[in-house]
Amino acid sequence: MITPNVIDERALLKSFVSGEEHAFDKIFRLYHPSLIFFAKRLFVNFDQIDAQQIVLDIFVKLHEKRETFESLNSIKAFLYISTKNSCFNAIEKEKVRLKRFDGYTSNFNESDDNNILSQIVLSEVYRELYQAIELLPEQCRIIMTQLMEGKTAKEVAEELSLTVSTVNSQKARAISILRNRLSGAGIALLLLYF
């Protein structure tokens, strides 16, 4: 004798396999809460991972493979095994992310914070200096840019087909203009170069 429960399961499976929305909805409501609980238990030490998203992705896969299932037990097994595998994959990715983060942050200490702050300030002063150089008259700008790259006045003169005295006079003119445009830190940096 076939019990009513078996008949309901067969009808549900048949409806699900044929793609009827109400059948998928019933299976979703039947297993979703327990799968969320299961995933959260696996993620007990990994609160950054979204159990809800993992389970929703599993249901998408279930729907895509709906025609391959022969029983509700095979659906249930698929849901739990897929959830477990996806959770373990997510945990491994999270472990790698945490390891990289720990490796990155372990290289810093309080003195490094001061060093980073110093580098930010220095970068901003360089930005200010280069912006001011961009506003110089063309020949002054070209000469100052090359001098900032570490070239000597002689090298700049040869490259631009100028005399060394012309390069030096343009440099002096540029420094005079820049002193009026730069902050104290910008002037200090300028003086370090020249």
Side-chain angles (χ1 to χ4, degrees), residues 30 38-39 57 66 69 81 98 101 158 177 183 186:
L30 186 63
F38 176 61
D57 290 344
R66 70 184 178 278
F69 295 100
I81 290 169
L98 290 172
F101 181 77
E158 288 173 2
I177 294 169
S183 67

Side-chain angles (χ1 to χ4, degrees), residues 23-118:
F24 179 79
D25 186 53
K26 189 169 185 176
I27 290 172
F28 181 85
R29 283 186 279 115
L30 186 63
Y31 293 109
H32 181 262
S34 58
L35 290 172
I36 294 292
F37 178 79
F38 176 61
K40 284 183 177 180
R41 298 296 297 162
L42 293 175
F43 293 147
V44 73
N45 294 322
F46 299 93
D47 58 347
Q48 297 294 322
I49 303 173
D50 186 4
Q52 179 75 23
Q53 188 60 51
I54 298 264
V55 172
L56 290 176
D57 290 344
I58 297 304
F59 275 102
V60 169
K61 290 177 186 173
L62 175 72
H63 187 268
E64 291 169 352
K65 296 177 177 257
R66 70 184 178 278
E67 296 173 357
T68 64
F69 295 100
E70 298 177 2
S71 69
L72 284 183
N73 281 336
S74 63
I75 291 173
K76 181 179 177 180
F78 171 82
L79 289 171
Y80 277 100
I81 290 169
S82 296
T83 300
K84 175 195 70 138
N85 291 341
S86 291
C87 288
F88 286 170
N89 288 341
I91 288 169
E92 286 306 312
K93 286 180 184 175
E94 183 66 7
K95 284 180 179 178
V96 168
R97 188 191 71 78
L98 290 172
K99 188 175 180 180
R100 284 185 191 150
F101 181 77
D102 288 344
Y104 179 74
T105 57
S106 70
N107 292 331
F108 293 104
N109 58 36
E110 211 170 292
S111 65
D112 289 333
D113 289 342
N114 292 334
N115 187 31
I116 289 172
L117 183 59
S118 297

Side-chain angles (χ1 to χ4, degrees), residues 7-17 23 26-27 72:
I7 294 171
D8 287 343
E9 284 184 12
R10 285 184 186 165
L12 179 60
L13 181 65
K14 185 177 179 183
S15 297
F16 173 71
V17 169
K26 189 169 185 176
I27 290 172
L72 284 183

